[in-house]
Amino acid sequence: GKGFASLPHICAISAEGNLFNAEEEEGVMSHLTPLASSLFSLRLSHNPLRVVEEGMGKMTHLTSLHLSYCHIAVLPPLVSTLNRLHVFALDHNRIESLPPCLGVSYPLLEVFKLEGNPLHSLPLSFCNLPSTAVITLSTPSELAPHPILAPLLSASASASPLSSRPLPPHCIFEC
């Protein structure tokens, strides 16, 4: 059959807890790219994806993307093309670092879930995230951010919003 191509007006897909695996001959994105112009919400959490497939970069209309518990270790720069995201859930993966320009890619971001990842630092570009964005981390006091980002981190309990503190006036970053 034609799969999703025969359903061109789907705007939301929730396929959480399936056995989608990006390492198969045809990854999950090969089935979803025909929906790139209509898909606004994609929930693929709890799937053993392991990687963010190249086709994800074509999903430029997404406003909500959930990739929690997907065993992802590397976040490729192609995710910066998803600049309409309001919600980006990457919690409980294996991500140790983020692309350096990630913060300038999401002018509409409201929620960025990163808790449960072994992050070593935050990129300086996080200064450019909207001041209203809530970024959740497991252990913000253990991160080693650039000194400009230090005022943004709270030493309080897990999942604390970074946006509770104002951005330093000199916190401007362009990629």
mmCIF file of all heavy atoms in Angstrom, residues 17-42:
data_model
loop_
_atom_site.group_PDB
_atom_site.id
_atom_site.type_symbol
_atom_site.label_atom_id
_atom_site.label_comp_id
_atom_site.label_asym_id
_atom_site.label_seq_id
_atom_site.Cartn_x
_atom_site.Cartn_y
_atom_site.Cartn_z
ATOM 1 N N GLY A 17 5.538 3.962 22.257
ATOM 2 C CA GLY A 17 5.566 2.609 22.778
ATOM 3 C C GLY A 17 5.465 1.515 21.742
ATOM 4 O O GLY A 17 5.029 0.415 22.038
ATOM 5 N N ASN A 18 5.863 1.791 20.536
ATOM 6 C CA ASN A 18 5.916 0.770 19.496
ATOM 7 C C ASN A 18 7.343 0.246 19.407
ATOM 8 O O ASN A 18 8.177 0.542 20.257
ATOM 9 C CB ASN A 18 5.462 1.348 18.150
ATOM 10 C CG ASN A 18 3.980 1.607 18.140
ATOM 11 O OD1 ASN A 18 3.187 0.697 18.017
ATOM 12 N ND2 ASN A 18 3.598 2.876 18.302
ATOM 13 N N LEU A 19 7.648 -0.488 18.410
ATOM 14 C CA LEU A 19 9.000 -1.015 18.256
ATOM 15 C C LEU A 19 9.702 -0.396 17.056
ATOM 16 O O LEU A 19 10.516 -1.042 16.395
ATOM 17 C CB LEU A 19 8.966 -2.546 18.131
ATOM 18 C CG LEU A 19 8.434 -3.274 19.368
ATOM 19 C CD1 LEU A 19 8.338 -4.766 19.109
ATOM 20 C CD2 LEU A 19 9.319 -2.999 20.576
ATOM 21 N N PHE A 20 9.392 0.871 16.770
ATOM 22 C CA PHE A 20 10.059 1.548 15.662
ATOM 23 C C PHE A 20 11.547 1.621 15.939
ATOM 24 O O PHE A 20 11.969 1.967 17.029
ATOM 25 C CB PHE A 20 9.516 2.959 15.458
ATOM 26 C CG PHE A 20 8.098 3.009 15.018
ATOM 27 C CD1 PHE A 20 7.207 3.872 15.629
ATOM 28 C CD2 PHE A 20 7.635 2.219 13.977
ATOM 29 C CE1 PHE A 20 5.892 3.940 15.214
ATOM 30 C CE2 PHE A 20 6.327 2.277 13.558
ATOM 31 C CZ PHE A 20 5.452 3.139 14.182
ATOM 32 N N ASN A 21 12.328 1.322 14.921
ATOM 33 C CA ASN A 21 13.769 1.298 15.052
ATOM 34 C C ASN A 21 14.369 1.937 13.812
ATOM 35 O O ASN A 21 14.138 1.484 12.698
ATOM 36 C CB ASN A 21 14.243 -0.158 15.202
ATOM 37 C CG ASN A 21 15.712 -0.274 15.455
ATOM 38 O OD1 ASN A 21 16.505 0.565 15.038
ATOM 39 N ND2 ASN A 21 16.080 -1.338 16.138
ATOM 40 N N ALA A 22 15.141 2.977 13.992
ATOM 41 C CA ALA A 22 15.728 3.698 12.857
ATOM 42 C C ALA A 22 16.771 2.882 12.118
ATOM 43 O O ALA A 22 17.153 3.221 11.001
ATOM 44 C CB ALA A 22 16.340 5.006 13.338
ATOM 45 N N GLU A 23 17.246 1.813 12.709
ATOM 46 C CA GLU A 23 18.290 1.016 12.082
ATOM 47 C C GLU A 23 17.745 -0.015 11.104
ATOM 48 O O GLU A 23 18.496 -0.704 10.436
ATOM 49 C CB GLU A 23 19.129 0.338 13.167
ATOM 50 C CG GLU A 23 19.880 1.358 14.017
ATOM 51 C CD GLU A 23 20.539 0.750 15.235
ATOM 52 O OE1 GLU A 23 20.344 -0.447 15.502
ATOM 53 O OE2 GLU A 23 21.250 1.489 15.923
ATOM 54 N N GLU A 24 16.427 -0.122 11.005
ATOM 55 C CA GLU A 24 15.834 -1.047 10.042
ATOM 56 C C GLU A 24 16.072 -0.522 8.631
ATOM 57 O O GLU A 24 16.393 0.644 8.427
ATOM 58 C CB GLU A 24 14.330 -1.173 10.303
ATOM 59 C CG GLU A 24 14.012 -1.815 11.641
ATOM 60 C CD GLU A 24 12.523 -1.801 11.944
ATOM 61 O OE1 GLU A 24 11.740 -1.335 11.094
ATOM 62 O OE2 GLU A 24 12.158 -2.251 13.030
ATOM 63 N N GLU A 25 15.881 -1.370 7.650
ATOM 64 C CA GLU A 25 16.117 -0.981 6.259
ATOM 65 C C GLU A 25 15.348 0.288 5.900
ATOM 66 O O GLU A 25 15.874 1.201 5.295
ATOM 67 C CB GLU A 25 15.723 -2.120 5.318
ATOM 68 C CG GLU A 25 16.071 -1.843 3.875
ATOM 69 C CD GLU A 25 15.759 -3.031 2.984
ATOM 70 O OE1 GLU A 25 15.925 -4.177 3.435
ATOM 71 O OE2 GLU A 25 15.350 -2.796 1.838
ATOM 72 N N GLU A 26 14.087 0.348 6.266
ATOM 73 C CA GLU A 26 13.283 1.550 6.085
ATOM 74 C C GLU A 26 12.941 2.076 7.469
ATOM 75 O O GLU A 26 12.120 1.516 8.167
ATOM 76 C CB GLU A 26 11.990 1.234 5.329
ATOM 77 C CG GLU A 26 12.177 0.982 3.866
ATOM 78 C CD GLU A 26 10.841 0.894 3.141
ATOM 79 O OE1 GLU A 26 9.826 1.362 3.676
ATOM 80 O OE2 GLU A 26 10.832 0.349 2.038
ATOM 81 N N GLY A 27 13.601 3.146 7.872
ATOM 82 C CA GLY A 27 13.328 3.737 9.172
ATOM 83 C C GLY A 27 11.937 4.344 9.205
ATOM 84 O O GLY A 27 11.259 4.487 8.183
ATOM 85 N N VAL A 28 11.515 4.731 10.385
ATOM 86 C CA VAL A 28 10.176 5.277 10.561
ATOM 87 C C VAL A 28 9.981 6.572 9.762
ATOM 88 O O VAL A 28 8.900 6.845 9.261
ATOM 89 C CB VAL A 28 9.854 5.477 12.064
ATOM 90 C CG1 VAL A 28 10.721 6.550 12.672
ATOM 91 C CG2 VAL A 28 8.393 5.788 12.273
ATOM 92 N N MET A 29 11.040 7.359 9.594
ATOM 93 C CA MET A 29 10.903 8.636 8.880
ATOM 94 C C MET A 29 10.593 8.450 7.404
ATOM 95 O O MET A 29 9.947 9.288 6.797
ATOM 96 C CB MET A 29 12.156 9.491 9.057
ATOM 97 C CG MET A 29 12.356 10.011 10.475
ATOM 98 S SD MET A 29 10.888 10.775 11.214
ATOM 99 C CE MET A 29 10.577 12.086 10.087
ATOM 100 N N SER A 30 11.017 7.345 6.815
ATOM 101 C CA SER A 30 10.705 7.118 5.405
ATOM 102 C C SER A 30 9.197 7.003 5.195
ATOM 103 O O SER A 30 8.687 7.326 4.132
ATOM 104 C CB SER A 30 11.414 5.872 4.893
ATOM 105 O OG SER A 30 10.926 4.715 5.536
ATOM 106 N N HIS A 31 8.488 6.576 6.227
ATOM 107 C CA HIS A 31 7.033 6.470 6.142
ATOM 108 C C HIS A 31 6.343 7.793 6.468
ATOM 109 O O HIS A 31 5.203 8.018 6.062
ATOM 110 C CB HIS A 31 6.518 5.392 7.100
ATOM 111 C CG HIS A 31 7.067 4.037 6.809
ATOM 112 N ND1 HIS A 31 6.684 3.292 5.714
ATOM 113 C CD2 HIS A 31 8.002 3.296 7.466
ATOM 114 C CE1 HIS A 31 7.339 2.146 5.701
ATOM 115 N NE2 HIS A 31 8.149 2.129 6.753
ATOM 116 N N LEU A 32 7.022 8.665 7.203
ATOM 117 C CA LEU A 32 6.409 9.917 7.650
ATOM 118 C C LEU A 32 6.710 11.113 6.759
ATOM 119 O O LEU A 32 5.979 12.093 6.789
ATOM 120 C CB LEU A 32 6.850 10.227 9.081
ATOM 121 C CG LEU A 32 6.431 9.212 10.137
ATOM 122 C CD1 LEU A 32 7.009 9.598 11.489
ATOM 123 C CD2 LEU A 32 4.919 9.092 10.209
ATOM 124 N N THR A 33 7.773 11.069 5.965
ATOM 125 C CA THR A 33 8.128 12.245 5.151
ATOM 126 C C THR A 33 7.041 12.679 4.175
ATOM 127 O O THR A 33 6.965 13.873 3.885
ATOM 128 C CB THR A 33 9.465 12.049 4.408
ATOM 129 O OG1 THR A 33 9.474 10.792 3.757
ATOM 130 C CG2 THR A 33 10.624 12.140 5.374
ATOM 131 N N PRO A 34 6.154 11.801 3.690
ATOM 132 C CA PRO A 34 5.069 12.318 2.850
ATOM 133 C C PRO A 34 4.134 13.279 3.595
ATOM 134 O O PRO A 34 3.397 14.033 2.970
ATOM 135 C CB PRO A 34 4.297 11.057 2.419
ATOM 136 C CG PRO A 34 5.292 9.954 2.515
ATOM 137 C CD PRO A 34 6.177 10.323 3.669
ATOM 138 N N LEU A 35 4.207 13.283 4.924
ATOM 139 C CA LEU A 35 3.353 14.151 5.734
ATOM 140 C C LEU A 35 4.059 15.427 6.176
ATOM 141 O O LEU A 35 3.522 16.189 6.970
ATOM 142 C CB LEU A 35 2.889 13.394 6.988
ATOM 143 C CG LEU A 35 2.142 12.095 6.746
ATOM 144 C CD1 LEU A 35 1.866 11.395 8.058
ATOM 145 C CD2 LEU A 35 0.853 12.359 5.997
ATOM 146 N N ALA A 36 5.252 15.666 5.671
ATOM 147 C CA ALA A 36 6.072 16.780 6.143
ATOM 148 C C ALA A 36 5.355 18.125 6.108
ATOM 149 O O ALA A 36 5.561 18.958 6.979
ATOM 150 C CB ALA A 36 7.366 16.865 5.341
ATOM 151 N N SER A 37 4.492 18.357 5.142
ATOM 152 C CA SER A 37 3.833 19.665 5.045
ATOM 153 C C SER A 37 2.563 19.770 5.881
ATOM 154 O O SER A 37 2.041 20.863 6.072
ATOM 155 C CB SER A 37 3.504 19.979 3.588
ATOM 156 O OG SER A 37 2.576 19.035 3.090
ATOM 157 N N SER A 38 2.060 18.654 6.411
ATOM 158 C CA SER A 38 0.824 18.723 7.190
ATOM 159 C C SER A 38 0.992 18.328 8.650
ATOM 160 O O SER A 38 0.146 18.647 9.475
ATOM 161 C CB SER A 38 -0.250 17.827 6.556
ATOM 162 O OG SER A 38 0.135 16.464 6.636
ATOM 163 N N LEU A 39 2.085 17.676 9.009
ATOM 164 C CA LEU A 39 2.257 17.146 10.360
ATOM 165 C C LEU A 39 2.721 18.242 11.320
ATOM 166 O O LEU A 39 3.739 18.888 11.107
ATOM 167 C CB LEU A 39 3.268 16.004 10.341
ATOM 168 C CG LEU A 39 3.273 15.052 11.507
ATOM 169 C CD1 LEU A 39 1.919 14.361 11.662
ATOM 170 C CD2 LEU A 39 4.361 14.007 11.333
ATOM 171 N N PHE A 40 1.943 18.452 12.384
ATOM 172 C CA PHE A 40 2.270 19.462 13.383
ATOM 173 C C PHE A 40 2.718 18.852 14.703
ATOM 174 O O PHE A 40 3.434 19.487 15.462
ATOM 175 C CB PHE A 40 1.072 20.387 13.630
ATOM 176 C CG PHE A 40 0.783 21.274 12.473
ATOM 177 C CD1 PHE A 40 -0.150 20.918 11.508
ATOM 178 C CD2 PHE A 40 1.454 22.472 12.319
ATOM 179 C CE1 PHE A 40 -0.404 21.727 10.420
ATOM 180 C CE2 PHE A 40 1.208 23.302 11.235
ATOM 181 C CZ PHE A 40 0.270 22.925 10.278
ATOM 182 N N SER A 41 2.283 17.635 14.994
ATOM 183 C CA SER A 41 2.632 16.986 16.255
ATOM 184 C C SER A 41 3.062 15.550 15.995
ATOM 185 O O SER A 41 2.356 14.799 15.319
ATOM 186 C CB SER A 41 1.436 17.005 17.209
ATOM 187 O OG SER A 41 1.732 16.332 18.403
ATOM 188 N N LEU A 42 4.224 15.189 16.539
ATOM 189 C CA LEU A 42 4.752 13.844 16.355
ATOM 190 C C LEU A 42 5.246 13.316 17.697
ATOM 191 O O LEU A 42 6.111 13.912 18.332
ATOM 192 C CB LEU A 42 5.891 13.858 15.336
ATOM 193 C CG LEU A 42 6.550 12.525 15.005
ATOM 194 C CD1 LEU A 42 5.522 11.512 14.465
ATOM 195 C CD2 LEU A 42 7.674 12.734 13.998
#
